[in-house]
Amino acid sequence: VTIFFLGILSVVGNGMVIYIFTCTKNLRTPSNLLIVNLAFSDFCLMFTMCPAMVWNCFYETWMFGPFACELYGMFGSLFGVTSIWTMVFIALDRYNVIVKGLSAKPMTTKLALLQIFCIYLHGLFWTLTPFFGWSRYVPEANMTACGTDYLTLAWHSRSYVLVYAMFAYYLPLLVIIYAYYFIVKAVASHEKSMREQAKKMNVTSLRSGDQSNTSAEFKLAKVALMTISLWFMAWTPYMVINLAGIFQLITIDPLFTI
């Protein structure tokens, strides 16, 4: 029941974002292509994961055979990694606009599409390799879902989890921390200079049309940071389970995995 309603909420919510951003003319900006791609990736994640998960939970086991299990694991992995790398490029775009300001090279539609192409290429590389022998996708937990094999102690399974974690978790995290460190620094510096200028001029605020645009950029950065934080909150337990499995740090039973 929980997965069913989360699926409906996510598919409808992300579907609305895609519809609004693609049908509203003034929202069709190069930067917003990344927002649309994030919504599309999350839409596909829930659309491919939820129906099978609901069905399997109802029957209390994996119902669709080994190849479907591999596809399920691949789609979950692919759209998870495309989401985080889309957020990386959104963070870098905010960094470009807020930190570099007028000296920044503006985002173009070509550049945004190239970034999206690279995101999917990168995601496909990591999620297709288990089909060719570097690790594999297997049923996990209470057999209602499939994912990377973190219980086989062979080196090919362990190495995949370690290297994949590096490129799908740690590297994005480091890039995002770098970008937001300088964004927060720039915002704090900007606000401080605004307050000092207002004080000199004996007014309460200097905000005008131009300033409200800057404020909108800051708000967008805040929203992006919140979305990124939620992604890491959602995927960190999964990565902990994977690393705990390959290093046998704790006893992993089905309930703990869920």
Side-chain angles (χ1 to χ4, degrees):
V1 169
T2 305
I3 297 293
F4 176 77
F5 282 109
L6 282 175
I8 296 291
L9 188 68
S10 183
V11 166
V12 171
N14 284 301
M16 280 169 66
V17 172
I18 295 163
Y19 177 78
I20 291 163
F21 272 73
T22 49
C23 294
T24 311
K25 202 176 179 182
N26 62 338
L27 288 177
R28 285 188 224 141
T29 63
S31 291
N32 283 350
L33 277 173
L34 292 168
I35 308 283
V36 172
N37 188 54
L38 180 62
F40 174 75
S41 179
D42 289 345
F43 176 91
C44 291
L45 180 77
M46 293 303 261
F47 188 75
T48 53
M49 299 290 100
C50 283
M53 182 80 163
V54 169
W55 195 255
N56 292 329
C57 285
F58 184 76
Y59 284 100
E60 300 183 359
T61 190
W62 182 261
M63 294 296 293
F64 302 102
F67 183 63
C69 174
E70 288 183 304
L71 282 179
Y72 183 95
M74 188 209 116
F75 283 131
S77 204
L78 173 65
F79 295 120
V81 81
T82 51
S83 287
I84 192 54
W85 276 101
T86 303
M87 289 185 221
V88 167
F89 283 107
I90 290 169
L92 289 173
D93 179 54
R94 298 296 86 216
Y95 170 85
N96 199 36
V97 169
I98 293 169
V99 179
K100 292 188 175 177
L102 293 172
S103 65
K105 193 182 172 188
M107 173 74 85
T108 62
T109 304
K110 259 186 192 173
L111 182 61
L113 289 172
L114 179 66
Q115 287 177 356
I116 291 166
F117 176 74
C118 291
I119 287 165
Y120 280 97
L121 208 62
H122 175 262
L124 282 167
F125 171 77
W126 288 110
T127 54
L128 286 174
T129 48
F131 284 97
F132 300 99
W134 192 16
S135 190
R136 58 185 182 149
Y137 295 115
V138 291
E140 56 184 15
N142 59 345
M143 305 286 285
T144 54
C146 292
T148 47
D149 182 5
Y150 52 82
L151 294 176
T152 301
L153 299 179
W155 182 240
H156 73 275
S157 274
R158 284 177 157 187
S159 61
Y160 176 79
V161 172
L162 285 171
V163 179
Y164 188 35
M166 190 62 68
F167 285 93
Y169 186 89
Y170 291 112
L171 186 60
L173 182 61
L174 287 171
V175 174
I176 286 163
I177 289 169
Y178 171 85
Y180 271 93
Y181 170 76
F182 287 104
I183 287 169
V184 170
K185 211 173 161 187
V187 170
S189 167
H190 176 78
E191 291 297 321
K192 191 184 173 188
S193 64
M194 290 273 285
R195 279 196 303 273
E196 284 171 0
Q197 194 65 28
K199 209 174 178 182
K200 281 177 191 171
M201 294 168 72
N202 226 9
V203 291
T204 51
S205 174
L206 289 175
R207 298 226 178 272
S208 62
D210 191 38
Q211 254 75 43
S212 67
N213 283 344
T214 312
S215 183
E217 297 293 358
F218 293 161
K219 278 178 189 167
L220 195 53
K222 281 180 193 172
V223 172
L225 181 60
M226 189 179 76
T227 315
I228 289 157
S229 303
L230 289 170
W231 187 94
F232 282 103
M233 280 167 63
W235 285 92
T236 300
Y238 192 72
M239 198 204 65
V240 169
I241 292 277
N242 272 259
L243 294 179
I246 61 166
F247 290 119
Q248 294 184 297
L249 300 174
I250 37 179
T251 305
I252 297 176
D253 58 40
L255 186 64
F256 180 71
T257 312
I258 296 159

